[in-house]
Amino acid sequence: MSVYFDDSMDIYFARQLVNERLQQVGDRLPAGYGKPEMGPNTSGLGQVFWYTVERADDTLKGATAGTAPNDMDLRTFQDWTIRLILRTAPGVDDVSSWGGQEKQFQVRIDPMKLIAHKLGFKEVIEALQANNAQVGGNFVDVGREQYLVRGLGLIQNAKDLGNIVLKTEDRHRSTCATWPRSPKRGRPAPVP
């Protein structure tokens, strides 16, 4: 959400007003929805550098499936590599991504299998959240620099999702869902 004020308004006073309202709204949200937070102090005028991530060779566009990077691969590279590097540059406040196909994994739960294993949707959601969380650590001093330590629970593929244990019965693990790789705004990928 964007909030616009008159140009004569002091930006820090306006941010304080918005922050006060966000605190009030945050206390009213149901559990699990998180807390609203204010983004960096930017405007449309702050967008000064635009770039695209493209295939290096036009012949790759016609390559057979699976051998050349597709739009989803390029967007993933942008989000998880280029964006993180650019954000460390002095004076860069944020890097926004547009276009491409944002990768997501859709968990399709089979309700009958959940019932058979005496599980509910809540257990599936909790297991997914617990296995895809990031945790803060501490820092390590190396010379004059400090390196932050953190644990990344980033699910990278369908196999990672399939390895999440929901419940163990007689030392056997059963599957209650499928995990197709598909674009965020596109149609779901077919499940084999």
Side-chain angles (χ1 to χ4, degrees), residues 64-75:
T64 59
T67 61
N70 60 31
D71 290 342
M72 189 182 303
D73 296 330
L74 294 176
R75 173 65 186 260

Side-chain angles (χ1 to χ4, degrees), residues 54-112:
E54 300 175 357
R55 294 163 191 83
D57 188 347
D58 283 339
T59 59
L60 289 176
K61 292 179 182 176
T64 59
T67 61
N70 60 31
D71 290 342
M72 189 182 303
D73 296 330
L74 294 176
R75 173 65 186 260
T76 301
F77 184 65
Q78 154 63 23
D79 289 342
W80 294 101
T81 305
I82 298 171
R83 180 176 179 269
L84 299 178
I85 293 169
L86 287 177
R87 287 187 67 187
T88 64
V92 174
D93 201 28
D94 196 13
V95 178
S96 300
S97 300
W98 285 283
Q101 294 177 330
E102 188 176 352
K103 186 194 306 186
Q104 81 171 30
F105 294 95
Q106 299 175 355
V107 178
R108 296 181 185 166
I109 300 170
D110 183 340
M112 299 311 290

Side-chain angles (χ1 to χ4, degrees), residues 83-151:
R83 180 176 179 269
L84 299 178
I85 293 169
L86 287 177
R87 287 187 67 187
T88 64
V92 174
D93 201 28
D94 196 13
V95 178
S96 300
S97 300
W98 285 283
Q101 294 177 330
E102 188 176 352
K103 186 194 306 186
Q104 81 171 30
F105 294 95
Q106 299 175 355
V107 178
R108 296 181 185 166
I109 300 170
D110 183 340
M112 299 311 290
K113 287 184 180 179
L114 286 180
I115 292 168
H117 294 286
K118 297 179 182 163
L119 289 167
F121 287 102
K122 182 179 178 184
E123 286 90 349
V124 175
I125 300 301
E126 288 172 351
L128 289 170
Q129 289 174 339
N131 286 277
N132 199 35
Q134 297 187 31
V135 294
N138 207 333
F139 58 88
V140 177
D141 289 317
V142 179
R144 296 176 57 195
E145 297 185 18
Q146 290 182 339
Y147 292 93
L148 295 177
V149 178
R150 62 183 179 154

Side-chain angles (χ1 to χ4, degrees), residues 166-188:
L166 299 175
K167 184 177 182 181
T168 305
E169 297 173 321
D170 300 324
R171 293 182 283 164
H172 294 333
R173 192 172 58 130
S174 58
T175 303
C176 297
T178 56
W179 301 272
R181 175 182 183 239
S182 64
K184 187 170 184 178
R185 293 184 183 86
R187 294 182 52 192

